[in-house]
Amino acid sequence: MPKKVKSAGDGKEEGPVPRKQMKVEAAGDLSTLNFDSPSDLLESLISPVKAETFFKEFWEQKPLLIQRDGSAWAAYYQSLFRFSDLKNLCSRGLYYGRDINVCRCVSGKKKVLNKDGRVHFLQLRKDFDQKRATIQFHQPQRFKDELWRIQEKLECYFGSLVGSNVYITPAGSQGLPPHYDDVEVFILQLEGEKHWRLYHPTVPLAREYSLEPEDRIGRPTHEFILKPGDLLYFPRGTIHQADTPPGLAHSTHVTISTYQNNSWGDFLLDTIPGLVLDTAKEDMAFRAGIPRQLLLDEAQEKMIYVYHSLKNRRETHMMGNEDTESHGLRFPLSHMDALKQIWNSSAISVKDLKLNTNEEKERLVLSLWTECLIQVV
């Protein structure tokens, strides 16, 4: 939500996955999550585990399994996405590759069964039933409002993009071979049951997705069944595979992922070259030649960048469009204190901003207001 600014005139562990059991009473509101704030959302998502415990003991370290003994969680999770939702979504125009992948794990390898062009539900259902294929639906938050609400709050909490995929697998089948991902993963079991096996990472906190052959990964360190309402977290690099046990109709789960390319290494690769190049475009002094026999110029001006997502479009969220561009503003380092004042206050008078001149104060407020980052009252 935009900030308000008053105008001047107004004055590595073996054994079972750590798990938590939780009984939940059915409530009038189907949602079991707390959307009051990003931190409240995260706390309720991983409850009964506290956020402090989660980040101290599990985040980027080891898996966490939360098995919930309560119909309210199962009912809410099932409302997020059902297999039956695909029929309506296919009629709205979904395409193989872009929106949906159809695949199956055969002899330890991924076999892609996509058709060409638009997805037709009857053909999709036929491949699901007859070929025992897994349906992978990309970024369902584009169409499902409750998933959009969850991911919007998580993006605010983590300060990083949050994507999702739905996986629907028939009984007695497996969609993907053993592999690891380059993202932190939260798995919500929506329908049916899924049998999971986790293995020690060969590349802890991996920066790339990769398949791993069975003969390399050894025995599972953790093995369990997810049921509707259960949640599983594991760090990037965790090798995993999952299958639907025989005798069930199907399994549906959604994978919510974040922190892709969000390491210290990625941060430095992105910020340092970009800062220099952008400054050189705007400041002729940076395009001038350095003094003879001098390798570095010590007089480099530092800048503050404020990025936002208010101009992003929901229908292209996390879809990797090549024309996607970042939106934001750049300010001199001298504006740091004034920006902190605005960001840490529910309302503040323009005249109280910590800048040297009224012109600087007005220019800062106008820039933020133009981008809809603040309200002026």
Side-chain angles (χ1 to χ4, degrees), residues 97-219:
R98 185 192 72 181
D99 302 299
I100 281 182
N101 277 333
V102 180
C103 60
R104 185 179 180 185
C105 178
V106 179
S107 301
K109 297 182 178 180
K110 178 181 177 180
K111 184 177 181 180
V112 179
L113 304 171
N114 287 354
K115 302 293 189 295
D116 292 326
R118 186 166 175 170
V119 179
H120 298 282
F121 181 74
L122 291 180
Q123 180 64 56
L124 190 66
R125 184 72 202 226
K126 181 179 178 181
D127 289 339
F128 181 84
D129 292 332
Q130 298 182 5
K131 297 182 179 180
R132 318 307 297 160
T134 288
I135 300 170
Q136 179 187 19
F137 180 38
H138 302 307
Q139 310 304 335
Q141 76 278 2
R142 295 176 291 153
F143 307 96
K144 304 294 288 184
D145 290 341
E146 195 70 1
L147 281 174
W148 178 261
R149 291 178 68 205
I150 293 172
Q151 291 176 230
E152 183 269 335
K153 283 290 188 290
L154 290 178
E155 286 193 347
C156 292
Y157 184 87
F158 287 111
S160 175
L161 290 173
V162 174
S164 66
N165 286 310
V166 165
Y167 296 86
I168 308 171
T169 303
S173 185
Q174 180 170 331
L176 300 173
H179 66 281
Y180 59 79
D181 298 301
D182 58 347
V183 287
E184 300 294 302
V185 172
F186 297 87
I187 292 167
L188 285 59
Q189 185 66 25
L190 309 183
E191 296 179 310
E193 299 180 2
K194 204 67 176 281
H195 169 231
W196 284 84
R197 287 170 284 174
L198 309 183
Y199 306 80
H200 274 309
T202 53
V203 183
L205 300 182
R207 296 186 67 249
E208 296 179 347
Y209 167 93
S210 179
L211 300 177
E212 287 284 18
E214 291 267 9
D215 58 3
R216 185 183 175 189
I217 60 180
R219 296 174 58 83

Side-chain angles (χ1 to χ4, degrees), residues 341-354:
Q341 284 180 280
I342 294 173
W343 252 249
N344 293 329
S345 304
S346 59
I348 187 171
S349 176
V350 174
K351 64 181 176 61
D352 294 330
L353 293 176
K354 295 180 180 179

Side-chain angles (χ1 to χ4, degrees), residues 59-60 154-155 157-162 182-184 205-208 236 257-271:
W59 178 257
E60 293 189 332
L154 290 178
E155 286 193 347
Y157 184 87
F158 287 111
S160 175
L161 290 173
V162 174
D182 58 347
V183 287
E184 300 294 302
L205 300 182
R207 296 186 67 249
E208 296 179 347
R236 54 194 187 277
S257 58
T258 190
Y259 257 58
Q260 185 178 46
N261 299 331
N262 210 43
S263 67
W264 277 110
D266 295 304
F267 174 76
L268 293 174
L269 285 172
D270 288 341
T271 55

